Amino acid sequence: NNGKKNLFCFPPTISYCHIYYGFSQFMNEYNLFGINFISGQNAINKIVDEILKIDQEEGPYNFIAYSAGGIFSTLVAEELERRGKIVENIILIDCYWRKSIERNLKDNSKEELYKNLEDDGFISGATQVIKSIGLEKHTGKILNNAIDYLHFLHIEQKPVANISADYHFIKSTDYPVTKDFIPWSNFTSGEYNEYNGFGGHNDMISS
């Protein structure tokens, strides 16, 4: 809490920001705030209200997002700009938006989506992560929130183009080149930069 600037962090598919804890130890010049996903009506508006309470100086705002957090951060930036606020930078750490995920979610209920993610190994992997951070007794709640998060990002909400913030996209060494991805440059009228990061997707912000 002694930094000169605030940095708002957006979570991967698991929907919670615990993954930034180690990262935060190297960011002494910033105050880091994790924006966990909350389900329910008007979720983006509620989150923006909380950000405005935290940052009494009212910006400009700086975001960092990992994996699925790229879409989430863009939605929040869109609402902040709609309210006349300035989002200065959005840093995307190996974030992606796959067209195939969107198609799959349109074709499936949340129950079927859970089964698909279970077959893909996501549920077992997420369960291990939850156990590793000591939240095993909350596994069911966290997994349900992750399903709501995926459904929300790809079905219930759609970011618009022409966000004014500058986008900085850091790619992992195993970031696939595929036409299935929607490029982040589509969403900003500001500056767009790409950088080569170190390590695979799962290692990008690990210790």
Side-chain angles (χ1 to χ4, degrees), residues 66-83:
Y66 172 59
S67 195
I71 304 172
F72 190 15
S73 63
T74 297
L75 288 165
V76 172
E78 179 184 354
E79 176 58 23
L80 277 166
E81 290 190 354
R82 191 189 69 78
R83 298 192 192 188

Side-chain angles (χ1 to χ4, degrees), residues 63-141:
F63 294 168
I64 188 166
Y66 172 59
S67 195
I71 304 172
F72 190 15
S73 63
T74 297
L75 288 165
V76 172
E78 179 184 354
E79 176 58 23
L80 277 166
E81 290 190 354
R82 191 189 69 78
R83 298 192 192 188
K85 311 303 180 184
I86 297 173
V87 181
E88 191 171 35
N89 296 288
I90 300 179
I91 302 166
L92 305 171
I93 302 177
D94 215 39
C95 298
Y96 46 82
W97 189 344
R98 287 192 173 99
K99 298 175 187 176
S100 59
I101 293 178
E102 194 168 319
R103 288 195 296 272
N104 289 339
L105 289 178
K106 284 180 179 177
D107 295 338
N108 295 289
S109 66
K110 288 183 182 179
E111 291 75 18
E112 290 172 318
L113 173 60
Y114 186 97
K115 180 64 168 60
N116 289 342
L117 292 173
E118 191 173 42
D119 293 342
D120 288 343
F122 170 79
I123 299 299
S124 61
T127 300
Q128 289 301 313
V129 171
I130 294 165
K131 183 178 180 180
S132 72
I133 58 175
L135 295 176
E136 189 172 7
K137 66 180 180 179
H138 302 293
T139 297
K141 178 182 178 181

